[in-house]
Amino acid sequence: MIKFFISHKKEDAYTANIIANELKAMNVPYYLDLLDFTITGSGKALTDHIKQSLNDCTDIIVVMSEATRHSQWVPFEVGMAAQNDMPTATFLQENVSLPDFLIYWPRLKQPSDIRKYITARREVQHEYAQRHLLEFAEMRKSQTARFYEVLKKRL
């Protein structure tokens, strides 16, 4: 099962909600902090909450705009996701140049690209489910790389 973490800066809440609505329309679960009323505190409590929320997800979409460049949390969330080889894509809210740490991942530019992401992700999951089980860590990394390859061809 796929579950998304939608990473964004508060100024990009409108775009984050568009992504959430697109995922909801496809019956794909997601985490969006705008809808999480359990968030309290800051510092370690907030860091732990974000880490737990990321750990409950399988994929991350990063809303990228000029405002994102000034975020402290988005790079943290992307770093946590990358450490776990979590499939990642950026959603370009506007014509913005990406920082170096986001260039590698597929770039979604319109809500319909989310459907392409989901389709490619499910196809690669199915492809790997058909293979004999490999060592888990090895399989996970190669599956993520294969997913990027498939999605980038479609975008």
Side-chain angles (χ1 to χ4, degrees):
M1 178 169 93
I2 300 168
K3 181 177 179 181
F4 280 91
F5 185 97
I6 303 170
S7 177
H8 67 97
K9 188 143 171 61
K10 68 180 178 180
E11 290 86 347
D12 298 324
Y14 179 77
T15 301
N17 275 310
I18 288 173
I19 293 167
N21 289 334
E22 196 69 27
L23 292 169
K24 186 176 183 179
M26 292 183 288
N27 295 315
V28 175
Y30 58 88
Y31 173 82
L32 178 59
D33 64 352
L34 299 170
L35 306 175
D36 185 351
F37 302 107
T38 66
I39 297 174
T40 57
S42 60
K44 182 168 175 15
L46 181 57
T47 299
D48 290 344
H49 184 84
I50 290 170
K51 285 167 60 175
Q52 184 57 54
S53 299
L54 270 163
N55 286 335
D56 291 341
C57 294
T58 61
D59 295 60
I60 184 171
I61 290 182
V62 181
V63 177
M64 188 64 208
S65 71
E66 285 301 323
T68 313
R69 293 184 175 283
H70 308 290
S71 174
Q72 295 174 327
W73 289 108
V74 170
F76 172 77
E77 294 162 354
V78 170
M80 290 288 302
Q83 182 176 346
N84 293 321
D85 198 32
M86 182 182 284
T88 302
T90 56
F91 190 95
L92 301 177
Q93 182 175 338
E94 51 198 52
N95 194 9
V96 62
S97 60
L98 291 173
D100 289 344
F101 74 96
L102 289 174
I103 288 176
Y104 172 71
W105 294 295
R107 291 168 227 156
L108 313 178
K109 296 177 182 165
Q110 51 196 2
S112 61
D113 288 343
I114 295 169
R115 188 167 300 276
K116 293 174 188 174
Y117 181 112
I118 299 293
T119 302
R121 183 79 162 90
R122 287 180 175 158
E123 284 175 13
V124 172
Q125 279 182 327
H126 180 74
E127 177 184 317
Y128 275 73
Q130 300 302 316
R131 294 181 181 188
H132 290 279
L133 289 179
L134 303 170
E135 188 176 329
F136 181 74
E138 233 179 69
M139 184 177 81
R140 176 79 178 156
K141 285 188 179 186
S142 59
Q143 185 180 46
T144 301
R146 173 76 176 123
F147 161 67
Y148 290 151
E149 179 184 309
V150 170
L151 181 58
K152 284 179 180 181
K153 286 180 184 175
R154 294 179 185 183
L155 294 175

